[in-house]
Amino acid sequence: MKAGFLSSLIAVAALAVVSAAAAEPISVRYTEGVARGFPVLRSADGQKLAQGELWQVARGDRVENRLVFRFANGSLYDEQVVFSQRDVFSLISYRIIQRGPSFPETLVASIDRETGQYHVRYQADRDSAEEVLSGNFSLPSDAYNGMLGLLLKNLAPGVSEYVQIVAFTPKPRAVKILLQPVREDKLVIGDQTLSATRFLVKPQLGMLASLLVADLVPGQLWIVNGDAPAFVKFQGPLFFMGPIWHIELN
């Protein structure tokens, strides 16, 4: 699929999402702290595509989180999130970099709740001119870019929630996402068998967008149950209409 056509589909999908007022922010049940990890990104057939590194630092109610995947083919995925965890989770700022042959478009985008400003540099493909955009965008109270995994740890058992993410098309647009627990799975980690809840992460598209992208695959994310819930793995596209990739802890 040509990147220009793909970007058009993204714009249509973002414009045709199911409209709804912002939901209530997700309440904090488990506060985030200092963390560092080394996740691995693999293809659907198990081939290692990228080595990842995760940093997280909490300073009071403010948390800074960064996830970087460096691909063997030179591609880069770099996501930085700053959020508040005072009573409820609130996205403060977000920055994303996607570039290289693993991605159909080159994207460098950021958005900030306090200033209300966004900045985007976007190139649809090698033959297209780079677009540079900036302007005002009011982040919804339930916008959670880069935070879906930690939100799932904080949902009450068996509860589904709607949240939003900001999609850069290349202008920012809010897209509603359903976080839905679907089953309990037994996962083998090392020499232990643990119970984990499998969640679907499903963009909620309108009728027109659904006709254009009928094969849109929801993401799946596993959270280990218990007194200290934790992310185990993710399976799904890392970008709109992307291939199925797997993210697991190293």
Side-chain angles (χ1 to χ4, degrees):
M1 182 182 289
K2 291 292 288 179
F5 181 53
L6 176 61
S7 63
S8 298
L9 283 181
I10 294 174
V12 170
L15 286 168
V17 295
V18 177
S19 60
E24 291 296 320
I26 303 298
S27 296
V28 176
R29 299 177 66 208
Y30 301 97
T31 56
E32 295 291 309
V34 176
R36 192 169 185 185
F38 300 90
V40 173
L41 189 149
R42 301 183 185 276
S43 64
D45 62 3
Q47 178 186 358
K48 182 177 178 178
L49 302 178
Q51 178 62 57
E53 188 165 5
L54 169 72
W55 302 264
Q56 182 170 278
V57 178
R59 297 181 174 89
D61 293 325
R62 184 184 178 98
V63 182
E64 300 174 11
N65 180 292
R66 185 176 183 184
L67 174 64
V68 177
F69 282 110
R70 294 182 174 86
F71 289 70
N73 65 8
S75 298
L76 176 70
Y77 181 91
D78 186 346
E79 185 177 53
Q80 300 180 55
V81 182
V82 179
F83 63 91
S84 168
Q85 56 179 349
R86 179 178 298 175
D87 300 326
V88 298
F89 290 106
S90 178
L91 178 65
I92 297 174
S93 65
Y94 178 76
R95 185 171 187 264
I96 180 71
I97 300 173
Q98 292 180 184
R99 65 169 183 252
S102 291
F103 300 98
E105 299 109 357
T106 298
L107 175 69
V108 179
S110 63
I111 194 163
D112 188 279
R113 183 181 299 278
E114 295 173 352
T115 65
Q117 292 284 307
Y118 73 87
H119 300 276
V120 177
R121 289 169 52 199
Y122 171 84
Q123 188 174 16
D125 54 39
R126 293 181 180 179
D127 300 324
S128 300
E130 182 182 74
E131 298 180 54
V132 180
L133 306 170
S134 63
N136 296 315
F137 186 87
S138 179
L139 276 172
S141 60
D142 63 342
Y144 287 119
N145 288 55
M147 299 174 62
L148 298 185
L150 75 88
L151 294 183
L152 296 180
K153 295 190 298 183
N154 286 268
L155 295 185
V159 171
S160 298
E161 287 284 356
Y162 287 99
V163 298
Q164 298 187 75
I165 63 169
V166 177
F168 296 96
T169 66
K171 289 185 176 181
R173 305 185 187 278
V175 179
K176 190 165 69 169
I177 302 291
L178 173 62
L179 307 178
Q180 181 183 29
V182 292
R183 58 177 290 177
E184 299 297 314
D185 291 334
K186 298 296 183 182
L187 302 181
V188 177
I189 301 176
D191 59 357
Q192 297 186 67
T193 300
L194 302 175
S195 175
T197 301
R198 182 192 302 192
F199 289 87
L200 292 186
V201 179
K202 302 169 63 177
Q204 302 298 286
L205 305 182
M207 183 177 295
L208 174 59
S210 296
L211 292 174
L212 289 173
V213 291
D215 58 346
L216 182 64
V217 178
Q220 298 185 78
L221 198 151
W222 283 261
I223 299 293
V224 169
N225 301 320
D227 294 334
F231 165 84
V232 180
K233 64 179 181 177
F234 169 82
Q235 175 181 308
L238 202 59
F239 55 90
F240 187 81
M241 295 292 289
I244 302 301
W245 286 341
H246 295 210
I247 299 175
E248 301 176 353
L249 300 179
N250 199 357

